[in-house]
Amino acid sequence: QVQLVESGGGLVQAGGSLRLSCAASRSIFSISAMAWYRQASGKQRELVAAITIGGTTSYADSVKGRFTISRDNAKNTVYLQMNSLKPEDTAVYYCNAKPPAWASPTSYWGQGTQVTVSS
């Protein structure tokens, strides 16, 4: 049974920090690359950061140097530490798990959490 449960998010002033958490079902987390996406109002959903099972990370240019993705395999949890937040970071943030093709025909999504950055 696949389940992704997100926590965190909220309202923060520009320059502030937030940490998002996403706890996934062990059976999926253990074999999945994990990622955070975001979707601002009126815009297309975009990849923010991703991390492989082995811990290799990648970031969108817009957040590089400010955001850090990490995973705790013992806790089946992926994190997104967001520092130096800007108003343009305002969006709904979604956790995503991508199992290998043999395990699932699709990826799995969390419910999303709102991040609002005020100027």
Side-chain angles (χ1 to χ4, degrees), residues 12-92:
V12 65
Q13 290 185 321
S17 299
L18 286 172
R19 189 178 77 156
L20 307 182
S21 300
C22 174
S25 301
R26 178 171 58 86
S27 60
I28 292 298
F29 187 89
S30 63
I31 61 172
S32 296
M34 302 295 295
W36 290 94
Y37 289 74
R38 68 186 182 188
Q39 186 167 26
S41 295
K43 295 186 177 180
Q44 190 171 330
R45 187 173 298 186
E46 64 175 347
L47 176 65
V48 176
I51 185 167
T52 68
I53 297 171
T56 301
T57 60
S58 60
Y59 299 91
D61 288 341
S62 59
V63 307
K64 196 170 299 181
R66 300 187 298 119
F67 290 11
T68 302
I69 188 172
S70 62
R71 66 190 293 161
D72 186 333
N73 292 333
K75 295 182 178 180
N76 303 314
T77 300
V78 63
Y79 304 94
L80 185 67
Q81 178 67 46
M82 303 183 292
N83 298 326
S84 302
L85 283 162
K86 304 174 180 179
E88 50 263 45
D89 295 319
T90 295
V92 178

